[in-house]
Amino acid sequence: MTVCRPLCPYAEFNMKLLYNAYIRTQDPSHPTETAILIDRERIVAVGEANVLLSQYPNAEKQNMNGRVILPGLTDAHLHLKHYALNLQKVDCETETKEACLRRVAERVQKAKPGEWVLGHGWNQNVWENWPSASELDAIAPNNPVYLTAKSLHASWANTAALKLANITSQTRNPQNGQIQRDGKGSATGILLESAMDLVGNIIPEPGIHEIADAMEKAQSILWKMGLTGIHDFDRRDSFMALQQLHAQGRLKLRVLKNLPVELLDQAYELGLSAGFGDDWLRIGYIKAFMDGALGPHTAAMFQPYIGEENNRGILNMDSEELFEHGRKAAQVGLALAVHAIGDRANHEVLDAYEQLRHYEQENHLPALRHRIEHVQVLHPDDVMRLGRLNIIASMQPIHATSDMFMADAFWGERSRLAYAWKTQLENGASLALGSDAPVESPNPFWGLYAAVTRRRADGSPSADGWYPEQKLSMAEAWQGFTLGPAYAANMETRLGRLAPDYLADLIVLDASQDPFTCPVEDLLVMQSSATMVGGEWVYTSATGDGGLS
Ligand SMILES: [Zn+2]
């Protein structure tokens, strides 16, 4: 067998030539083309169909029948293990508490006595009050029930679960957490922030095999949504399951794996650097949490929440402490990705990053691509600092439209600089967009819709959208889901555009579904009709005119 690449006549038989397509390359020198030539996992050429067809007569040809080809999308903030396992949980994202209780009751019927019943997705702001343990006890007297909130910053447990966790009226609040109590001091069943762990930690963990299987199922859902890569923010089990999938050749999604700051010492001792791994699975960032979230009012703010004059949220650490983490991480070439929602939290992170930039310079270390996760609301004085310090704004467009009424209610005027991605772009920050799934659906087309309309699917709050000056153009938003995450992963030379030597990660959309020209509402129902990762068709829709012939 002759092994040669890329232009010898034998190799040509292994090449794929997709022609008669409308290709949006994101390569500024050739923004659109009609054919793409792929050799194994890489793109060899992008050009005019006539030219490539005559140059490569022996390549395997696929007529795309005028369909649109675009670079595959990457979700820059996703919890793959949680998302995958959540697909198996009771969906608690209901309009009313009663509807949620009905779903839980159905699952309880099928569960064995004593078996845990898990659910996710409720939001007390939608239900207009906090639920309680007794409501679950009525439908689940013999099964422990544990339902996490959509924000992942609160949970709702029944009495059986509280008992197993030994939570009584005597139990003290853990640091950075709260056991919600009634007038008599008894636990209501609601656990906030770190108090969630009191129950969360006693739930039997699924094994690595189970997680890997769940991830594999999730992966096919992600391909259909148009995703070819993710930046994963889950932990050890997630990493082990991903390695297992990879070793077995079942991982067909580009994964940037981030590590929790609690493991920084171990990473440092090991000398583990960003980029270790390969183009499928590689080490990314050190992830730290600066504060909580808007939903449970735990995001750290300079000024109190509206209607709660003593509540400014919870700050987990100050800028000094974060800087110390950053300094250590920099020794082994790991950048920071720090969760910051409130304006105070973002301010502290920016102070730490400013110090870190000086430190990098003084010590002749590379300027790492640090990022802030969420950047949900900024103090006016901090708006320009991400751009100035060259910090990546890792934002989730769909959070804006999900949270806008809460933001107006609890942050008021401050919301002018909330979810303000256009302001960030204009001030020189680069954007890496994502979903924070399972907090939101990972469907990137819903994210794109939110980014360019600032509206919900139902059209609220208005035709113009919420703070419409923050709308992105489709080109900016698409870039935020492709080149932006590629840059954050130090992979912008091989991911995020369709050009020679780039990895062949792409999606195919129907000819009438070009997101750049179709009615914006079409984004809400858009799906990939075929997805290629590393030169392999990993997903093709069963429908259509004979598929990809
Ligand atoms: Zn997250």
Side-chain angles (χ1 to χ4, degrees), residues 101-137:
L101 287 166
R102 273 196 299 276
R103 289 184 187 178
V104 174
E106 269 173 44
R107 182 67 63 95
V108 171
Q109 302 279 300
K110 292 181 209 151
K112 298 181 202 100
E115 192 185 336
W116 282 83
V117 171
L118 306 177
H120 172 76
W122 57 274
N123 180 347
Q124 84 283 0
N125 293 295
V126 172
W127 295 349
E128 285 169 356
N129 53 40
W130 290 101
S132 69
S134 58
E135 289 162 308
L136 291 173
D137 296 342

Side-chain angles (χ1 to χ4, degrees), residues 230-537:
I230 62 161
H231 295 185
D232 181 49
F233 283 86
D234 279 337
R235 295 170 175 230
R236 181 176 185 270
D237 290 355
S238 177
F239 192 24
M240 290 183 70
L242 283 163
Q243 289 176 75
Q244 186 176 102
L245 285 176
H246 187 24
Q248 295 167 349
R250 294 154 76 200
L251 182 67
K252 294 288 164 61
L253 204 57
R254 313 266 174 210
V255 181
L256 186 76
K257 190 74 202 76
N258 301 298
L259 310 170
V261 71
E262 294 77 28
L263 297 180
L264 173 56
D265 287 346
Q266 285 86 338
Y268 176 86
E269 293 299 331
L270 272 170
L272 188 63
S273 291
F276 179 75
D278 58 20
D279 287 341
W280 291 108
L281 179 57
R282 56 170 37 221
I283 296 295
Y285 288 77
I286 290 292
K287 165 79 184 298
F289 279 90
M290 215 57 178
D291 65 346
L294 167 59
H297 303 183
T298 50
M301 302 297 292
F302 279 114
Q303 299 301 326
Y305 286 78
I306 293 174
E308 287 176 87
E309 58 184 49
N310 292 318
N311 184 16
R312 290 164 203 249
I314 296 172
L315 191 69
N316 293 341
M317 62 176 117
D318 62 11
S319 68
E320 270 307 316
E321 194 180 337
L322 183 63
F323 168 69
E324 288 305 325
H325 292 314
R327 194 166 69 150
K328 187 158 208 176
Q331 311 303 315
V332 285
L334 287 164
L336 299 184
V338 184
H339 165 115
I341 305 274
D343 52 12
R344 173 82 200 280
N346 276 283
H347 181 81
E348 294 288 329
V349 178
L350 287 163
D351 281 356
Y353 281 165
E354 196 161 329
Q355 226 182 326
L356 206 47
R357 287 296 184 223
H358 289 301
Y359 178 81
E360 287 167 349
Q361 255 177 8
E362 280 160 14
N363 293 279
H364 309 288
L365 290 165
L368 296 172
R369 295 178 181 178
H370 304 289
R371 48 196 263 185
I372 301 181
E373 302 309 306
H374 315 306
V375 202
Q376 257 171 35
V377 60
L378 290 178
H379 187 277
D381 295 347
D382 288 330
V383 162
M384 296 173 71
R385 293 176 76 196
L386 281 95
R388 225 177 49 217
L389 293 166
N390 201 11
I391 303 303
I392 296 165
S394 167
M395 303 178 82
Q396 299 74 35
I398 197 145
H399 281 182
T401 48
S402 288
D403 295 0
M404 59 190 172
F405 299 122
M406 271 199 295
D408 283 338
F410 302 113
W411 291 344
E413 279 290 285
R414 288 169 283 187
S415 304
R416 188 174 62 79
L417 290 172
Y419 314 86
W421 42 71
K422 185 72 170 189
T423 301
Q424 282 314 309
L425 206 55
E426 284 170 351
N427 282 292
S430 67
L431 294 180
L433 303 179
S435 66
D436 207 3
V439 175
E440 297 286 348
S441 160
N443 187 332
F445 291 107
W446 295 2
L448 290 161
Y449 177 83
V452 301
T453 66
R454 305 276 292 188
R455 289 197 304 260
R456 285 187 187 173
D458 66 6
S460 60
S462 65
D464 232 16
W466 188 61
Y467 292 101
E469 64 276 13
Q470 296 298 339
K471 285 180 200 172
L472 294 181
S473 68
M474 179 52 77
E476 290 164 342
W478 200 274
Q479 184 146 342
F481 275 103
T482 51
L483 283 167
Y487 172 79
N490 286 293
M491 293 176 83
E492 74 277 12
T493 54
R494 56 196 184 285
L495 273 187
R497 52 172 66 108
L498 301 177
D501 276 336
Y502 275 64
L503 292 162
D505 294 1
L506 55 86
I507 61 170
V508 181
L509 299 172
D510 289 338
S512 61
Q513 297 277 281
D514 182 349
F516 287 76
T517 54
C518 73
V520 73
E521 281 70 30
D522 288 8
L523 292 168
L524 295 168
V525 293
M526 206 168 272
Q527 281 188 350
S528 175
S529 67
T531 301
M532 175 182 279
V533 187
E536 181 187 333
W537 291 115

